[in-house]
Amino acid sequence: MAKNIRKPAPRQAPVPKKKAKAVARPKPAKKPASAKKSLKAIRPWTPAEIHEVFSRFRKANPEPKGELEHLNPYTLLVAVVLSAQATDAGVNRATRELFEVADTPQKMLDLGEEALRDYIKTIGLYRTKAKNVIALSAKLLAEFGGEVPRTRSEIESLPGAGRKTANVVLNMAFGEHTMAVDTHVFRVGNRTMLAPGKTPLEVELGLEKVIPAEFMLRAHHWLILHGRYTCLARKPRCEVCLINDLCRWPEKTV
Ligand code: SF4
């Protein structure tokens, strides 16, 4: 009898695996040339270069002046409080007449909030600012003998005064080596890479760290003036910039 030989089941041809559909991965967005350059090519500043920057500022303008008009530490404090989100020129137009009648905290209180509002009504946020000036004048009389205090924490405790106000007053009225960071100083600190930072405080601390002490009293003014008249926000005037050979901004136009 023939053996019942079981034939092996025919091998099934392997089903070709479906090729996974190639999913086109998005290519990483190309960084703009300037950004690439900014990451790669920026050489850290040397102390000698930073000294050179401020030596040039000093040579060009040995006695830089702030542009906010004032008569004494109190009127400086008031002018800085009024200058938030306003131009110095606009503040000066209003304070010229105001300070003729109110250049001390007591005279400001005597003038009163309503009349003060009238003097400063051309300045943005004048209602809030008038309230703050009256309140800070009252506080100066009640707690500081009518004088502007000399410490940061005391100045910052006054209504309407923040860190920038304290830095301006400490620097301009009392000769302290502080660095007030406004929009111009913030831009110049970042563009030049002297003190890059995401916040005004980061730029302030960065600048304080790198600027030699001999320049610190006036550095605030030099940087503001540089930002206001040369390193302009939209179209910096690199071609006439005193420090264009040293500046680290990848997009400088020289
Ligand atoms: S070179 Fe141009 S970007 Fe650099 S600090 Fe001067 S003006 Fe500003």
Side-chain angles (χ1 to χ4, degrees):
M1 239 172 116
K3 272 185 183 172
N4 192 11
I5 297 168
R6 289 179 82 188
K7 282 185 185 169
R11 268 196 189 169
Q12 277 189 345
V15 179
K17 278 183 189 169
K18 263 192 185 175
K19 264 191 185 174
K21 248 190 184 177
V23 178
R25 283 198 192 156
K27 284 185 186 168
K30 272 192 180 174
K31 284 185 182 165
S34 61
K36 270 192 199 166
K37 194 173 171 193
S38 70
L39 293 176
K40 281 189 181 172
I42 292 176
R43 197 168 47 82
W45 285 85
T46 65
E49 286 174 322
I50 296 173
H51 193 278
E52 177 63 19
V53 164
F54 287 92
S55 299
R56 291 184 198 176
F57 284 148
R58 179 170 61 189
K59 196 169 172 206
N61 186 2
E63 299 283 339
K65 296 272 181 288
E67 296 189 342
L68 268 184
E69 295 173 10
H70 59 281
L71 307 167
N72 52 35
Y74 171 70
T75 50
L76 173 64
L77 171 65
V78 172
V80 180
V81 167
L82 295 178
S83 72
Q85 295 174 48
T87 63
D88 288 359
V91 172
N92 291 340
R93 273 195 294 277
T95 54
R96 262 173 223 143
E97 286 184 21
L98 171 65
F99 293 157
E100 277 181 23
V101 295
D103 60 354
T104 66
Q106 186 60 60
K107 288 185 193 169
M108 195 63 83
L109 289 187
D110 294 344
L111 180 68
E113 191 176 325
E114 206 181 320
L116 169 58
R117 274 207 301 263
D118 240 23
Y119 278 100
I120 63 169
K121 65 186 175 203
T122 51
I123 303 175
L125 308 174
Y126 72 98
R127 288 175 194 279
T128 308
K129 288 177 181 174
K131 211 175 273 300
N132 283 336
V133 169
I134 294 295
L136 76 80
S137 302
K139 185 161 182 171
L140 288 178
L141 283 166
E143 297 180 26
F144 301 104
E147 301 289 329
V148 176
R150 288 177 168 243
T151 69
R152 174 190 302 288
S153 59
E154 287 170 324
I155 297 174
E156 285 185 16
S157 77
L158 299 169
R163 188 176 181 94
K164 194 187 100 181
T165 306
N167 281 335
V168 174
V169 172
L170 289 170
N171 178 253
M172 289 175 67
F174 304 131
E176 303 254 352
H177 288 187
T178 52
M179 174 59 64
V181 175
D182 71 348
T183 179
H184 302 299
V185 176
F186 186 75
R187 183 173 65 255
V188 172
N190 271 294
R191 268 190 189 158
T192 57
M193 300 291 288
L194 274 169
K198 290 190 182 75
T199 63
L201 182 59
E202 274 180 37
V203 173
E204 175 190 326
L205 299 179
L207 287 171
E208 279 182 0
K209 207 163 137 193
V210 299
I211 298 174
E214 67 179 287
F215 300 111
M216 268 305 289
L217 184 60
R218 297 189 169 83
H220 158 67
H221 285 132
W222 283 319
L223 292 173
I224 285 188
L225 295 174
H226 187 64
R228 188 175 283 163
Y229 297 109
T230 306
C231 194
L232 308 180
R234 287 212 184 136
K235 208 166 173 237
R237 302 169 63 217
C238 305
E239 67 285 356
V240 295
C241 174
L242 275 182
I243 56 166
N244 59 16
D245 55 323
L246 297 166
C247 172
R248 301 295 204 263
W249 195 37
E251 293 168 44
K252 65 183 180 180
T253 57
V254 285

